[in-house]
Amino acid sequence: MRATLITGASMGIGEAFAREFARRGNSLVLVARSGERLAALAEELRSRKVEVLVCRQDLCCPDAPGRVHEFCLAHSISVDILVNCAGLSHASDFSAIPPEKAEELMSVNMLALARLSRLFAADMAAEKKGGIINIASITGLQGVPGLGLYAATKAFVLSLTESMHEELKEHGVKVSAVCPGFIDTGFFQTAGHERTNEILPLSSPEVVVRAALKGLMKNRMRVYPTMLDTILAFSGRLVPRDTAVRLAGFLSGARAN
């Protein structure tokens, strides 16, 4: 069976990807640690006559990516498209983040994404086809006071994705990094980021999904889902770096102004 694999599929952008791929008739492998939410979504999508398999894993665990890959091998699944959506955040100054939260955030946002990408990229390269979508962020373009560790992990995603984009091009595999601004999913609120402090407008997950799929089809290295995201990305190049960092902190609203 050929399928699309989506991590962080139980909510937010991951859930929106799952619904869109189901609408297109793709078979799915859904990965998340929220078992009940994942099972409910899978049942709903199966009612659309789409084959959906659930692989419940906590990507904080170092061996979870390997277990996801083994799950696919055990079920004779060839992954056509890998969508790395799973992510964590924590709104606070870097020095104030509890150590366990910092470890979880780095494990999911960087290590799990890198491990999954490496495992499935090798399979795709061997078949000379496939695609990988990595969800980065506009915050990955510079430091963001109040979201410093999150922004740093997204800078990692951007850099790795750009390298993979070029390395895998000759093997027929498309790789894109998606760089949205703030998305209306509740993601940052669960991370302690007060919505009342937000200055930038929120985009819907569906906007991100549509832009990501269009970008992957054209094999774009970076995808900015909205015009505002594009403007913010390129305006940061026009000012000194310290100004860009201060501006990013102000616009994010992660710290009390």
Side-chain angles (χ1 to χ4, degrees):
M1 180 179 82
R2 310 201 72 85
T4 297
L5 190 152
I6 305 168
T7 70
S10 62
M11 63 180 291
I13 298 174
E15 181 180 350
F17 267 112
R19 294 184 186 281
E20 176 59 25
F21 278 114
R23 187 187 69 79
R24 297 180 179 210
N26 291 45
S27 298
L28 299 171
V29 178
L30 305 182
V31 180
R33 63 181 176 183
S34 305
E36 291 184 7
R37 292 176 64 98
L38 201 60
L41 176 62
E43 194 62 30
E44 175 192 334
L45 298 181
R46 289 187 189 113
S47 68
R48 305 182 190 181
K49 310 303 180 186
V50 173
E51 189 163 0
V52 182
L53 281 77
V54 169
C55 181
R56 184 182 179 186
Q57 292 290 336
D58 184 350
L59 293 178
C60 288
C61 300
D63 56 350
R67 289 200 294 264
V68 172
H69 189 248
E70 290 168 3
F71 175 91
C72 292
L73 293 177
H75 290 81
S76 300
I77 297 168
S78 294
V79 173
D80 284 326
I81 300 176
L82 168 64
V83 185
N84 282 307
C85 277
L88 299 174
S89 182
H90 190 82
S92 77
D93 287 1
F94 176 61
S95 60
I97 300 177
E100 66 278 7
K101 291 291 185 182
E103 292 296 324
E104 288 180 358
L105 193 155
M106 291 186 288
S107 293
V108 174
N109 293 11
M110 295 190 296
L111 296 179
L113 178 144
R115 288 166 175 153
L116 285 165
S117 296
R118 185 183 63 80
L119 288 167
F120 287 101
D123 296 340
M124 293 176 185
E127 294 190 357
K128 298 291 185 180
K129 61 181 178 180
I132 299 174
I133 296 173
N134 289 331
I135 302 301
S137 170
I138 201 79
T139 64
L141 300 177
Q142 70 288 298
V144 182
L147 287 173
L149 184 58
Y150 175 80
T153 64
K154 293 305 182 178
F156 171 91
V157 173
L158 277 173
S159 181
L160 178 62
T161 304
E162 288 175 350
S163 298
M164 291 176 59
H165 173 93
E166 194 62 30
E167 292 167 359
L168 292 170
K169 188 185 298 183
E170 62 189 76
H171 298 288
V173 181
K174 299 176 180 179
V175 187
S176 295
V178 184
C179 306
F182 285 104
I183 311 302
D184 192 11
T185 63
F187 172 75
F188 281 104
Q189 284 71 48
T190 61
H193 187 159
E194 289 294 336
R195 186 163 181 170
T196 54
N197 293 337
E198 291 171 3
I199 296 171
L200 296 176
L202 302 178
S203 301
S204 72
E206 290 74 22
V207 168
V208 177
V209 169
R210 287 194 296 270
L213 295 179
K214 182 178 179 180
L216 184 70
M217 181 180 65
K218 295 183 177 181
N219 200 23
R220 291 178 176 163
M221 182 181 288
R222 288 188 183 185
V223 176
Y224 298 106
T226 70
M227 181 59 69
L228 178 59
D229 297 332
T230 302
I231 292 171
L232 289 172
F234 285 93
S235 64
R237 302 179 182 181
L238 304 177
V239 298
R241 190 69 174 178
D242 57 349
T243 301
V245 170
R246 286 197 301 271
L247 183 60
F250 173 74
L251 292 175
S252 75
R255 306 177 87 197
N257 295 316

